[in-house]
Amino acid sequence: MSSARSEIFRQDLFRGKTAFLAGATSGINLAIAERMAALGANVFVISRDSAKVAAAVGRLGGNASGCAADVREYEAVAGSIDACAARFGAIDFVVSGAAGNFLAHAAELSPRGFRTVIDIDLIGSFHVARAAFSRMRKPGASLIFISALQSFTAYPQQVHVCAAKAGIDSMMRALALEWGPAGVRVNSIAPGPIRDTEGMARLAPDAAATSRITSGIPLGRFGEKADIADLAVFLCSDAAANISGALMVSDGAGSAGRNW
Ligand code: NAP
Ligand code: COA
Protein backbone atom coordinates (compact mmCIF):
# COMPACT_ATOMS: atom_id res chain seq x y z
CA MET A 1 0.00 0.00 0.00
CA SER A 2 1.37 3.48 -0.83
CA SER A 3 2.11 5.67 2.17
CA ALA A 4 -0.35 8.32 0.93
CA ARG A 5 -3.04 5.64 0.85
CA SER A 6 -2.20 4.33 4.33
CA GLU A 7 -2.80 7.84 5.70
CA ILE A 8 -6.36 8.21 4.36
CA PHE A 9 -7.87 6.77 7.55
CA ARG A 10 -6.80 7.54 11.14
CA GLN A 11 -4.28 4.92 12.31
CA ASP A 12 -6.32 3.75 15.32
CA LEU A 13 -9.72 4.04 13.60
CA PHE A 14 -10.74 0.47 14.48
CA ARG A 15 -8.94 0.08 17.83
CA GLY A 16 -11.20 -2.02 20.10
CA LYS A 17 -13.36 -3.19 17.18
CA THR A 18 -13.71 -6.78 16.03
CA ALA A 19 -14.15 -7.96 12.46
CA PHE A 20 -15.24 -11.43 11.30
CA LEU A 21 -14.36 -12.16 7.67
CA ALA A 22 -15.51 -15.23 5.72
CA GLY A 23 -13.33 -16.33 2.80
CA ALA A 24 -10.49 -14.07 3.90
CA THR A 25 -7.41 -16.25 3.57
CA SER A 26 -6.47 -14.92 0.13
CA GLY A 27 -7.19 -12.22 -2.41
CA ILE A 28 -9.55 -9.32 -1.91
CA ASN A 29 -10.99 -10.44 1.42
CA LEU A 30 -7.55 -11.02 2.95
CA ALA A 31 -6.62 -7.51 1.82
CA ILE A 32 -9.70 -6.20 3.67
CA ALA A 33 -8.66 -8.14 6.79
CA GLU A 34 -5.13 -6.74 6.54
CA ARG A 35 -6.42 -3.17 6.20
CA MET A 36 -8.76 -3.58 9.20
CA ALA A 37 -5.98 -5.15 11.30
CA ALA A 38 -3.62 -2.31 10.34
CA LEU A 39 -6.24 0.14 11.65
CA GLY A 40 -6.28 -1.65 15.01
CA ALA A 41 -9.17 -4.12 14.66
CA ASN A 42 -9.19 -7.64 16.05
CA VAL A 43 -9.76 -9.86 13.02
CA PHE A 44 -11.09 -13.42 12.78
CA VAL A 45 -10.87 -15.17 9.41
CA ILE A 46 -12.35 -18.40 8.07
CA SER A 47 -11.98 -20.49 4.93
CA ARG A 48 -12.00 -24.20 4.12
CA ASP A 49 -8.28 -24.84 4.29
CA SER A 50 -6.73 -24.82 7.76
CA ALA A 51 -3.22 -24.29 6.33
CA LYS A 52 -4.44 -21.16 4.52
CA VAL A 53 -6.12 -19.98 7.73
CA ALA A 54 -2.90 -20.45 9.72
CA ALA A 55 -0.88 -18.57 7.07
CA ALA A 56 -3.38 -15.71 6.98
CA VAL A 57 -3.51 -15.43 10.78
CA GLY A 58 0.29 -15.34 10.87
CA ARG A 59 0.31 -12.57 8.28
CA LEU A 60 -2.39 -10.57 10.08
CA GLY A 61 -0.37 -10.27 13.30
CA GLY A 62 -1.09 -10.28 17.01
CA ASN A 63 -4.79 -9.45 17.11
CA ALA A 64 -5.82 -12.09 14.61
CA SER A 65 -7.35 -15.52 14.88
CA GLY A 66 -9.32 -17.88 12.70
CA CYS A 67 -10.43 -21.41 12.02
CA ALA A 68 -11.31 -23.65 9.11
CA ALA A 69 -15.00 -23.63 8.18
CA ASP A 70 -16.89 -24.24 4.96
CA VAL A 71 -19.60 -21.57 4.56
CA ARG A 72 -21.87 -24.26 3.08
CA GLU A 73 -22.07 -25.87 6.55
CA TYR A 74 -24.23 -23.75 8.87
CA GLU A 75 -23.01 -25.45 12.06
CA ALA A 76 -19.37 -24.87 11.07
CA VAL A 77 -20.05 -21.18 10.40
CA ALA A 78 -21.97 -20.77 13.68
CA GLY A 79 -19.10 -22.48 15.52
CA SER A 80 -16.59 -20.08 14.00
CA ILE A 81 -18.74 -17.08 14.98
CA ASP A 82 -18.87 -18.44 18.55
CA ALA A 83 -15.08 -18.90 18.52
CA CYS A 84 -14.63 -15.31 17.34
CA ALA A 85 -16.96 -13.98 20.06
CA ALA A 86 -15.24 -16.11 22.72
CA ARG A 87 -11.86 -14.70 21.73
CA PHE A 88 -12.73 -11.05 21.04
CA GLY A 89 -16.26 -10.36 22.36
CA ALA A 90 -19.06 -8.74 20.35
CA ILE A 91 -18.53 -8.46 16.59
CA ASP A 92 -18.60 -4.98 15.03
CA PHE A 93 -17.94 -5.80 11.37
CA VAL A 94 -18.80 -8.84 9.27
CA VAL A 95 -17.48 -9.32 5.74
CA SER A 96 -18.98 -12.23 3.81
CA GLY A 97 -16.87 -12.86 0.72
CA ALA A 98 -16.35 -16.59 0.27
CA ALA A 99 -17.05 -17.48 -3.35
CA GLY A 100 -16.38 -19.94 -6.11
CA ASN A 101 -16.13 -19.13 -9.80
CA PHE A 102 -15.20 -20.75 -13.09
CA LEU A 103 -16.08 -20.18 -16.72
CA ALA A 104 -18.71 -22.62 -18.01
CA HIS A 105 -21.24 -22.42 -20.82
CA ALA A 106 -24.79 -22.73 -19.46
CA ALA A 107 -25.67 -25.56 -21.85
CA GLU A 108 -22.75 -27.60 -20.53
CA LEU A 109 -22.82 -26.63 -16.85
CA SER A 110 -24.00 -29.54 -14.70
CA PRO A 111 -26.81 -28.92 -12.21
CA ARG A 112 -24.33 -29.73 -9.45
CA GLY A 113 -21.87 -27.16 -10.83
CA PHE A 114 -24.61 -24.48 -10.78
CA ARG A 115 -25.72 -25.52 -7.30
CA THR A 116 -22.17 -25.51 -5.95
CA VAL A 117 -21.74 -21.81 -6.68
CA ILE A 118 -25.20 -20.98 -5.31
CA ASP A 119 -24.32 -22.99 -2.17
CA ILE A 120 -21.01 -21.19 -1.57
CA ASP A 121 -21.88 -17.64 -2.59
CA LEU A 122 -25.58 -17.19 -1.79
CA ILE A 123 -26.45 -19.77 0.85
CA GLY A 124 -23.01 -19.41 2.42
CA SER A 125 -23.58 -15.65 2.72
CA PHE A 126 -26.93 -16.25 4.42
CA HIS A 127 -25.23 -18.66 6.82
CA VAL A 128 -22.63 -16.03 7.73
CA ALA A 129 -25.19 -13.25 8.20
CA ARG A 130 -27.66 -15.44 10.11
CA ALA A 131 -25.02 -16.87 12.46
CA ALA A 132 -23.35 -13.50 13.06
CA PHE A 133 -26.47 -11.42 13.80
CA SER A 134 -26.91 -12.48 17.42
CA ARG A 135 -23.23 -11.80 18.14
CA MET A 136 -23.08 -8.35 16.53
CA ARG A 137 -22.62 -5.29 18.71
CA LYS A 138 -25.88 -3.38 18.23
CA PRO A 139 -26.40 -0.60 17.41
CA GLY A 140 -23.47 0.23 15.19
CA ALA A 141 -22.54 -3.03 13.47
CA SER A 142 -21.75 -3.17 9.76
CA LEU A 143 -22.33 -6.23 7.55
CA ILE A 144 -20.79 -6.26 4.08
CA PHE A 145 -21.36 -8.80 1.32
CA ILE A 146 -18.76 -9.06 -1.44
CA SER A 147 -20.80 -9.13 -4.62
CA ALA A 148 -19.71 -8.63 -8.25
CA LEU A 149 -20.78 -6.86 -11.44
CA GLN A 150 -22.45 -10.16 -12.42
CA SER A 151 -25.17 -9.21 -9.94
CA PHE A 152 -26.65 -6.68 -12.36
CA THR A 153 -24.86 -7.26 -15.68
CA ALA A 154 -25.01 -10.49 -17.65
CA TYR A 155 -21.76 -12.17 -18.69
CA PRO A 156 -21.35 -15.25 -20.88
CA GLN A 157 -20.25 -18.44 -19.10
CA GLN A 158 -21.29 -16.89 -15.79
CA VAL A 159 -24.94 -17.94 -15.37
CA HIS A 160 -24.17 -19.52 -11.99
CA VAL A 161 -22.34 -16.44 -10.65
CA CYS A 162 -24.93 -14.00 -12.08
CA ALA A 163 -27.69 -15.87 -10.24
CA ALA A 164 -25.69 -16.17 -7.01
CA LYS A 165 -24.53 -12.55 -6.79
CA ALA A 166 -27.97 -11.15 -7.75
CA GLY A 167 -29.38 -13.28 -4.94
CA ILE A 168 -26.82 -11.91 -2.50
CA ASP A 169 -27.72 -8.31 -3.33
CA SER A 170 -31.44 -8.94 -3.06
CA MET A 171 -30.82 -10.61 0.30
CA MET A 172 -28.64 -7.65 1.31
CA ARG A 173 -31.54 -5.23 0.77
CA ALA A 174 -33.99 -7.48 2.65
CA LEU A 175 -31.60 -7.74 5.61
CA ALA A 176 -31.03 -3.98 5.57
CA LEU A 177 -34.80 -3.57 6.06
CA GLU A 178 -35.09 -6.16 8.82
CA TRP A 179 -31.94 -5.35 10.74
CA GLY A 180 -31.87 -1.57 10.33
CA PRO A 181 -34.12 -1.05 13.38
CA ALA A 182 -31.56 -2.97 15.47
CA GLY A 183 -28.86 -0.58 14.25
CA VAL A 184 -27.11 -2.98 11.87
CA ARG A 185 -26.13 -1.53 8.49
CA VAL A 186 -26.08 -4.00 5.60
CA ASN A 187 -24.38 -3.24 2.27
CA SER A 188 -22.67 -4.92 -0.67
CA ILE A 189 -19.48 -4.10 -2.52
CA ALA A 190 -19.28 -5.03 -6.20
CA PRO A 191 -15.66 -4.90 -7.31
CA GLY A 192 -14.84 -4.66 -10.99
CA PRO A 193 -11.90 -6.72 -12.25
CA ILE A 194 -9.19 -6.69 -9.55
CA ARG A 195 -5.52 -7.24 -10.39
CA ASP A 196 -3.55 -10.20 -9.00
CA THR A 197 -6.50 -12.23 -7.77
CA GLU A 198 -7.68 -15.81 -8.18
CA GLY A 199 -10.93 -14.48 -9.62
CA MET A 200 -9.19 -12.71 -12.48
CA ALA A 201 -6.79 -15.61 -13.04
CA ARG A 202 -9.90 -17.68 -13.73
CA LEU A 203 -11.89 -15.14 -15.75
CA ALA A 204 -9.09 -13.42 -17.69
CA PRO A 205 -6.36 -16.04 -17.93
CA ASP A 206 -4.26 -14.42 -20.68
CA ALA A 207 -2.90 -11.04 -21.80
CA ALA A 208 -5.48 -10.68 -24.59
CA ALA A 209 -8.37 -11.03 -22.14
CA THR A 210 -6.71 -8.62 -19.73
CA SER A 211 -6.23 -5.97 -22.37
CA ARG A 212 -9.81 -6.42 -23.66
CA ILE A 213 -11.12 -5.82 -20.16
CA THR A 214 -8.89 -2.78 -19.53
CA SER A 215 -9.94 -1.17 -22.82
CA GLY A 216 -13.58 -1.27 -21.64
CA ILE A 217 -12.88 0.56 -18.38
CA PRO A 218 -13.15 4.37 -18.64
CA LEU A 219 -10.59 4.92 -15.87
CA GLY A 220 -8.28 2.69 -17.91
CA ARG A 221 -6.95 0.42 -15.21
CA PHE A 222 -7.68 -2.77 -13.31
CA GLY A 223 -8.85 -2.32 -9.76
CA GLU A 224 -6.46 -2.96 -6.88
CA LYS A 225 -7.20 -5.01 -3.77
CA ALA A 226 -6.50 -1.81 -1.82
CA ASP A 227 -9.40 -0.08 -3.63
CA ILE A 228 -11.81 -2.62 -2.18
CA ALA A 229 -10.16 -2.71 1.24
CA ASP A 230 -10.51 1.07 1.57
CA LEU A 231 -14.16 0.94 0.48
CA ALA A 232 -14.85 -1.73 3.13
CA VAL A 233 -13.14 0.42 5.77
CA PHE A 234 -15.25 3.41 4.73
CA LEU A 235 -18.45 1.32 4.96
CA CYS A 236 -17.54 0.24 8.49
CA SER A 237 -16.62 3.75 9.61
CA ASP A 238 -18.90 6.41 11.04
CA ALA A 239 -18.54 8.28 7.73
CA ALA A 240 -21.00 5.71 6.35
CA ALA A 241 -23.41 5.94 9.33
CA ASN A 242 -26.42 6.59 7.07
CA ILE A 243 -25.52 4.09 4.34
CA SER A 244 -27.44 0.83 4.41
CA GLY A 245 -29.11 -1.24 1.71
CA ALA A 246 -26.57 0.02 -0.85
CA LEU A 247 -24.63 -1.76 -3.55
CA MET A 248 -21.33 0.10 -3.82
CA VAL A 249 -19.60 -0.41 -7.17
CA SER A 250 -15.84 0.05 -7.51
CA ASP A 251 -15.02 -0.59 -11.17
CA GLY A 252 -13.65 2.57 -12.79
CA ALA A 253 -17.05 3.09 -14.50
CA GLY A 254 -16.65 -0.20 -16.37
CA SER A 255 -20.32 -1.01 -15.78
CA ALA A 256 -21.67 2.55 -16.13
CA GLY A 257 -22.87 2.05 -19.68
CA ARG A 258 -21.90 0.93 -23.15
CA ASN A 259 -18.59 2.56 -23.98
CA TRP A 260 -19.14 2.89 -27.76
P1 NAP B 1 -9.98 -15.89 -3.76
O1 NAP B 1 -8.59 -15.39 -3.49
O2 NAP B 1 -10.14 -17.24 -4.37
O3 NAP B 1 -10.80 -15.82 -2.40
C1 NAP B 1 -11.84 -16.69 -2.08
C2 NAP B 1 -11.76 -16.99 -0.60
O4 NAP B 1 -12.91 -17.73 -0.22
C3 NAP B 1 -10.54 -17.82 -0.20
O5 NAP B 1 -10.10 -17.41 1.07
C4 NAP B 1 -11.11 -19.25 -0.13
O6 NAP B 1 -10.28 -20.02 0.76
C5 NAP B 1 -12.51 -18.94 0.43
N1 NAP B 1 -13.51 -19.95 0.14
C6 NAP B 1 -13.85 -20.48 -1.05
N2 NAP B 1 -14.85 -21.36 -0.91
C7 NAP B 1 -15.16 -21.37 0.43
C8 NAP B 1 -16.11 -22.07 1.20
N3 NAP B 1 -16.94 -22.95 0.66
N4 NAP B 1 -16.15 -21.82 2.54
C9 NAP B 1 -15.30 -20.95 3.12
N5 NAP B 1 -14.39 -20.24 2.43
C10 NAP B 1 -14.32 -20.47 1.09
O7 NAP B 1 -10.80 -14.90 -4.70
P2 NAP B 1 -10.86 -13.32 -5.01
O8 NAP B 1 -10.67 -13.20 -6.49
O9 NAP B 1 -10.02 -12.51 -4.09
O10 NAP B 1 -12.42 -13.05 -4.72
C11 NAP B 1 -12.88 -12.66 -3.42
C12 NAP B 1 -14.30 -12.14 -3.50
O11 NAP B 1 -14.36 -11.02 -4.40
C13 NAP B 1 -15.31 -13.15 -4.03
O12 NAP B 1 -16.55 -12.96 -3.35
C14 NAP B 1 -15.47 -12.76 -5.48
O13 NAP B 1 -16.70 -13.17 -6.04
C15 NAP B 1 -15.37 -11.25 -5.37
N6 NAP B 1 -14.99 -10.59 -6.63
C16 NAP B 1 -13.72 -10.75 -7.13
C17 NAP B 1 -13.34 -10.07 -8.27
C18 NAP B 1 -11.94 -10.19 -8.82
O14 NAP B 1 -11.59 -9.45 -9.76
N7 NAP B 1 -11.11 -11.05 -8.27
C19 NAP B 1 -14.27 -9.23 -8.92
C20 NAP B 1 -15.56 -9.13 -8.39
C21 NAP B 1 -15.91 -9.79 -7.25
P3 NAP B 1 -10.30 -21.65 0.79
O15 NAP B 1 -9.90 -22.10 -0.57
O16 NAP B 1 -9.29 -21.99 1.87
O17 NAP B 1 -11.66 -22.06 1.18
N1 COA C 1 -16.44 -25.99 -15.38
C1 COA C 1 -17.62 -26.64 -15.27
N2 COA C 1 -18.03 -27.25 -14.11
C2 COA C 1 -17.19 -27.18 -13.07
C3 COA C 1 -15.96 -26.52 -13.12
C4 COA C 1 -15.58 -25.91 -14.34
N3 COA C 1 -14.41 -25.26 -14.49
N4 COA C 1 -15.36 -26.63 -11.90
C5 COA C 1 -16.19 -27.33 -11.12
N5 COA C 1 -17.30 -27.66 -11.82
C6 COA C 1 -18.42 -28.49 -11.36
C7 COA C 1 -17.93 -29.92 -11.12
O1 COA C 1 -17.84 -30.64 -12.33
C8 COA C 1 -18.97 -30.45 -10.15
O2 COA C 1 -20.15 -30.84 -10.79
P1 COA C 1 -20.41 -32.42 -11.21
O3 COA C 1 -20.32 -33.20 -9.94
O4 COA C 1 -21.79 -32.40 -11.81
O5 COA C 1 -19.34 -32.77 -12.19
C9 COA C 1 -19.33 -29.21 -9.33
O6 COA C 1 -18.90 -28.06 -10.10
C10 COA C 1 -18.63 -29.19 -7.99
O7 COA C 1 -17.23 -29.33 -8.22
P2 COA C 1 -16.23 -29.69 -7.04
O8 COA C 1 -14.84 -29.64 -7.59
O9 COA C 1 -16.68 -30.94 -6.34
O10 COA C 1 -16.49 -28.46 -6.03
P3 COA C 1 -15.72 -28.00 -4.75
O11 COA C 1 -16.72 -27.76 -3.73
O12 COA C 1 -14.56 -28.89 -4.43
O13 COA C 1 -15.04 -26.61 -5.27
C11 COA C 1 -15.38 -24.77 -6.83
C12 COA C 1 -15.83 -25.48 -5.55
C13 COA C 1 -15.73 -25.65 -8.05
C14 COA C 1 -16.16 -23.47 -6.94
C15 COA C 1 -13.84 -24.52 -6.87
O14 COA C 1 -13.49 -23.91 -8.08
C16 COA C 1 -13.35 -23.68 -5.70
O15 COA C 1 -13.06 -24.23 -4.65
N6 COA C 1 -13.27 -22.30 -5.86
C17 COA C 1 -12.82 -21.39 -4.79
C18 COA C 1 -11.85 -20.36 -5.31
C19 COA C 1 -12.45 -19.45 -6.36
O16 COA C 1 -13.28 -19.87 -7.16
N7 COA C 1 -11.99 -18.21 -6.37
C20 COA C 1 -12.48 -17.18 -7.24
C21 COA C 1 -13.53 -16.39 -6.53
S1 COA C 1 -14.19 -15.17 -7.67
Side-chain angles (χ1 to χ4, degrees):
M1 194 192 324
S2 73
S3 59
R5 189 150 200 155
S6 70
E7 288 164 12
I8 292 172
F9 298 103
R10 201 181 68 228
Q11 277 309 302
D12 62 349
L13 185 67
F14 289 161
R15 181 90 41 219
K17 304 283 188 184
T18 292
F20 176 94
L21 303 101
T25 58
S26 62
I28 293 169
N29 306 320
L30 175 58
I32 297 172
E34 287 176 328
R35 195 81 175 91
M36 289 183 166
L39 293 171
N42 308 313
V43 292
F44 193 101
V45 296
I46 65 166
S47 82
R48 292 166 300 178
D49 182 339
S50 53
K52 282 177 71 176
V53 172
V57 167
R59 194 170 154 151
L60 288 163
N63 292 328
S65 187
C67 66
D70 189 322
V71 294
R72 290 171 285 193
E73 309 291 335
Y74 182 76
E75 294 308 328
V77 173
S80 68
I81 292 279
D82 288 347
C84 175
R87 170 79 193 267
F88 297 124
I91 300 171
D92 299 281
F93 314 136
V94 175
V95 177
S96 177
N101 199 356
F102 49 80
L103 289 171
H105 292 286
E108 288 146 25
L109 176 62
S110 74
R112 186 159 174 269
F114 185 88
R115 186 180 302 118
T116 295
V117 171
I118 299 290
D119 273 348
I120 301 171
D121 293 31
L122 176 56
I123 297 176
S125 290
F126 177 72
H127 288 166
V128 170
R130 170 72 177 78
F133 182 72
S134 66
R135 299 287 196 178
M136 287 183 203
R137 193 189 315 277
K138 300 182 272 288
S142 170
L143 164 59
I144 297 172
F145 296 109
I146 306 301
S147 182
L149 307 182
Q150 286 90 329
S151 169
F152 54 89
T153 303
Y155 289 82
Q157 301 185 65
Q158 289 285 273
V159 65
H160 41 315
V161 176
C162 291
K165 295 295 194 183
I168 286 175
D169 292 331
S170 191
M171 175 172 72
M172 174 274 291
R173 286 182 280 270
L175 293 178
L177 288 189
E178 284 207 32
W179 293 352
V184 177
R185 294 184 296 105
V186 188
N187 295 289
S188 291
I189 292 175
I194 303 297
R195 203 159 62 84
D196 291 336
T197 58
E198 179 62 27
M200 284 324 291
R202 288 169 180 240
L203 301 187
D206 53 37
T210 305
S211 107
R212 224 177 19 253
I213 289 172
T214 314
S215 68
I217 298 176
L219 287 186
R221 70 166 177 91
F222 261 61
E224 303 286 340
K225 284 176 269 194
D227 294 324
I228 307 307
D230 283 343
L231 179 50
V233 168
F234 164 72
L235 278 176
C236 289
S237 76
D238 288 346
N242 197 35
I243 299 179
S244 191
L247 172 57
M248 312 285 281
V249 176
S250 174
D251 72 341
S255 63
R258 283 173 201 262
N259 201 10
W260 48 266

